[in-house]
Amino acid sequence: MDFSLPRSGMIDLLAESMEVPENRRSAMLGRFQHLQRLSLIDGINPGRGRAAEYRAHQVLVVAVAFEMLQLGLSPERVVQTIKANQDAIRLAIGLAVGKKGEIQPSVIWFDPAIVNGAADGFDPAEATFDYGGEGSAVDRFKWFVSNSWVERMAVISISGTLWHIIAAAEGHSGSSRPPIGPTSLAFLDALHDWYRGSAPDSLT
């Protein structure tokens, strides 16, 4: 199934999903433009004189990039980390949308290391990046707790991010999960179809 949004529609959807107030949305657009100047999404460059259309998986990648910004990574590190871990993110998306019309638990995790990260060409966010479903994530976090060497770990829920995008798409407010209506079903179906037909390097 095909699904796409123009840039303005994508930013509005993600702003709603992240509950960004109206007076902060121009700043959000500026941050997205910075990410895109760094080629977060390949093949879509600002200033080319044609309207950009973002497919379902690209919308989700942009959402994940914003979540990384929320954790304190610089735009440069966000793009670098996503590019270096395209296959893991693609597989994490696949876990979330493996059953058509449903969302399954899926998370990614990494050491953000804001203060001491990316020294001497070594970036802990890239080196520790991984993903998992419910069972493997629980096992991994048990290991994090029991292994005293681990200082910190950032977590982004792919499935949680999807639920918030769906809530925004359906105009749903409140703390409960939204119903999956026609618009969000088209979005989920497009993600499922993309994952089933994508090559390992086709994330962005």
Side-chain angles (χ1 to χ4, degrees):
M1 176 168 294
D2 196 21
F3 178 95
S4 66
L5 287 173
R7 186 183 72 172
S8 59
M10 178 187 67
I11 295 297
D12 286 345
L13 177 64
L14 295 183
E16 288 292 328
S17 74
M18 297 174 69
E19 300 180 2
V20 178
E22 289 288 345
N23 64 353
R24 296 292 300 156
R25 295 194 180 186
S26 61
M28 184 177 179
L29 175 59
R31 289 188 177 93
F32 170 71
Q33 289 172 327
H34 190 174
L35 290 168
Q36 195 50 34
R37 281 193 292 270
L38 296 168
S39 298
L40 173 64
I41 305 298
D42 292 330
I44 300 178
N45 298 309
R48 288 284 180 91
R50 60 184 178 85
E53 289 285 328
Y54 295 84
R55 297 171 61 204
H57 71 281
Q58 294 170 330
V59 172
L60 186 51
V61 168
V62 174
V64 169
F66 274 117
E67 296 297 350
M68 289 183 175
L69 291 175
Q70 295 263 61
L71 290 168
L73 275 70
S74 69
E76 290 76 13
R77 286 187 73 202
V78 167
V79 174
Q80 182 178 340
T81 301
I82 288 174
K83 294 289 189 184
N85 294 280
Q86 291 193 62
D87 196 44
I89 296 173
R90 185 183 67 86
L91 291 169
I93 294 171
L95 277 176
V97 298
K99 293 184 179 180
K100 203 155 190 171
E102 297 182 20
I103 299 175
Q104 304 296 317
S106 176
V107 296
I108 57 175
W109 58 82
F110 54 91
D111 178 357
I114 305 304
V115 176
N116 62 340
D120 300 323
F122 174 79
D123 192 330
E126 285 185 37
T128 60
F129 198 99
D130 208 348
Y131 75 99
E134 185 174 12
S136 57
V138 169
D139 290 343
R140 177 61 65 174
F141 281 94
K142 285 180 180 177
W143 183 85
F144 289 157
V145 170
S146 63
N147 187 331
S148 59
W149 184 252
V150 177
E151 296 176 283
R152 79 208 134 243
M153 197 59 63
V155 180
I156 296 173
S157 172
I158 299 296
S159 44
T161 300
L162 280 171
W163 277 118
H164 281 267
I165 291 172
I166 285 172
E170 299 298 334
H172 180 82
S173 60
S175 57
S176 61
R177 286 182 175 178
I180 298 178
T183 301
S184 47
L185 184 59
F187 176 65
L188 289 177
D189 283 352
L191 281 173
H192 176 87
D193 293 347
W194 163 79
Y195 176 71
R196 292 299 179 192
S198 67
D201 60 352
S202 66
L203 178 67
T204 62

